[in-house]
Amino acid sequence: MTALQQAPVRVHPARRAGRYAVRLFLTAGAVVSLVPFLWMAIAATHSTSDLFRSPPPFLPGGRLLDNLARLQDTIGFGRVLLNSVGIAVVHTVLSSLISAMCGYGLAKYRFRGRGLLLGAVLATMMIPFQVLLVPLFQMMASVGWIDSYQAVVLPFLANSFGILLMRQGFVDFPDELLESARIDGSGELRTFYQVVLPCVRPQLGALVIFTFMAQWNSFIWPLLMLNSEDKYTVPVALNTLTGLSHVDYSGLMLGSLLATLPLMALFLLFQRQFVAGLLGGAVKG
C-alpha cells in the first residue's frame, strides 16, 4: 500500500501575520483583564496601611489569616456567605423553573392573546428597576415580609429575560415528538420534564448562570429588605466595612475575593452549557 501524502497547505504571509496579531491582541486583553483580580488577591494578604505605602506591594503578604479572622469577627463572613448561597440557590432554582415553564407555554401552546402576552413580557424588560422599588417595598411591607428571606427571593422570580431565552430554545423543538409523547400516554408535566426540558440544557445552563450571578451580586434590594445583621448577604455585609472615617480595604478585598469563588465554581460547572446556549441563541437570532 502506498501512503497518501497531502501537500502542505501554504498560508499567505499576510494572513499568517494577521492571525498572530489577533492572538497577541487577545492575549494582551486577557492579561489586562486579569490584573484587577490579581491585585485583589494580593491586597487580601496585606493590611490596609500596607496598601497605601509607596510603592504599593506587588507580591503576596503574610496577613491573610489575620484579615480572615478580622472579617469573621466584624461581619460574621461565614454566616453571610451561607445566607447568600441559600438565597441565590433557592432563587435560581425557582426562577429557572418558572422561566422554563412560561417559555414552554409561549412557544408550544396556541391560545388567544399569546402574541399580546409575549409583547407584555418583552415590554417589562424596558421598565427600569428603580421604578419598581417603591411599589414593591410597599407591597412587602403590607404583607409583613420586611426583614425576611422571602422578600428577597420571591419578587423577581418571573424573569422576562429568562422567559424569552427559554422560549427561544423551545421554539424549534419538533411538535411531532410532543404528539408522540401524548399518544404514548405521557402527561403534560411528564412530557415537559422528561422529554422537552433535557433538550434545552444549553439554554437552561446559561439561564442558571445569569440568574445566579444577578442574585449573588444583588445589593439594593437586599439592603432595603434586610434589617438584621444575621440575615445580611455578602454584598450588604461588605458594605458595612466602609465607614465615614475608616474603610477596611484589605477586608473588602478578601471578602470580594472569597465571594467570587462560588461564581467561578458555577461557571466551570456549567461552562459547556453556557457557551452552547449563547451560541445557539446567536445562531437563531
Side-chain angles (χ1 to χ4, degrees):
M1 296 180 64
T2 59
L4 296 178
Q5 296 182 350
Q6 294 181 348
V9 179
R10 301 187 60 182
V11 181
H12 194 276
R15 192 172 182 180
R16 185 185 296 120
R19 290 180 180 177
Y20 287 139
V22 170
R23 292 173 184 174
L24 182 62
F25 177 77
L26 293 177
T27 303
V31 172
V32 170
S33 64
L34 284 176
V35 168
F37 184 79
L38 294 177
W39 166 248
M40 183 172 63
I42 293 174
T45 62
H46 290 272
S47 64
T48 298
S49 58
D50 291 340
L51 300 180
F52 289 94
R53 72 187 184 193
S54 181
F58 294 102
L59 295 175
R63 303 295 298 273
L64 177 62
L65 295 180
D66 294 339
N67 292 337
L68 185 60
R70 189 179 69 258
L71 197 63
Q72 176 64 24
D73 294 338
T74 306
I75 62 175
F77 188 78
R79 185 189 62 250
V80 298
L81 186 63
L82 289 178
N83 291 342
S84 280
V85 170
I87 290 174
V89 169
V90 172
H91 178 84
T92 300
V93 171
L94 294 178
S95 180
S96 299
L97 183 61
I98 291 174
S99 298
M101 297 181 73
C102 293
Y104 177 67
L106 290 173
K108 290 301 175 184
Y109 286 90
R110 303 289 184 269
F111 54 90
R112 182 176 298 177
R114 188 182 66 158
L116 184 62
L117 184 60
L118 182 61
V121 172
L122 184 62
T124 57
M125 297 182 68
M126 306 176 189
I127 301 176
F129 171 71
Q130 290 78 6
V131 176
L132 303 175
L133 286 180
V134 174
L136 278 178
F137 183 87
Q138 292 176 341
M139 188 182 300
M140 295 297 107
S142 64
V143 297
W145 282 5
I146 299 297
D147 198 25
S148 65
Y149 291 131
Q150 60 265 30
V152 181
V153 173
L154 297 182
F156 301 101
L157 288 181
N159 184 353
S160 57
F161 169 78
I163 293 173
L164 295 175
L165 178 65
M166 295 306 300
R167 177 190 172 276
Q168 194 68 16
F170 288 124
V171 163
D172 292 335
F173 189 85
D175 294 335
E176 291 78 7
L177 290 180
L178 294 178
E179 295 300 327
S180 299
R182 290 164 181 159
I183 292 174
D184 291 339
S186 176
E188 293 299 319
L189 285 178
R190 184 180 177 186
T191 301
F192 174 72
Y193 286 111
Q194 296 187 354
V195 178
V196 181
L197 201 57
C199 296
V200 293
R201 279 183 294 184
Q203 287 80 6
L204 189 61
L207 177 61
V208 166
I209 291 180
F210 279 128
T211 306
F212 188 88
M213 286 180 60
Q215 184 61 39
W216 185 264
N217 295 323
S218 178
F219 173 70
I220 296 296
W221 186 246
L223 180 66
L224 290 175
M225 288 295 102
L226 301 176
N227 298 326
S228 304
E229 293 184 357
D230 60 344
K231 295 180 180 177
Y232 280 176
T233 59
V234 171
V236 178
L238 290 180
N239 183 59
T240 61
L241 298 177
T242 59
L244 293 177
S245 58
H246 176 72
V247 179
D248 187 358
Y249 286 105
S250 59
L252 282 173
M253 292 296 176
L254 180 57
S256 301
L257 177 66
L258 295 176
T260 60
L261 298 181
L263 293 178
M264 295 174 65
L266 183 70
F267 181 78
L268 293 176
L269 185 63
F270 290 96
Q271 181 182 13
R272 183 174 300 177
Q273 289 83 358
F274 180 72
V275 175
L278 293 183
L279 290 178
V283 171
K284 291 175 183 176

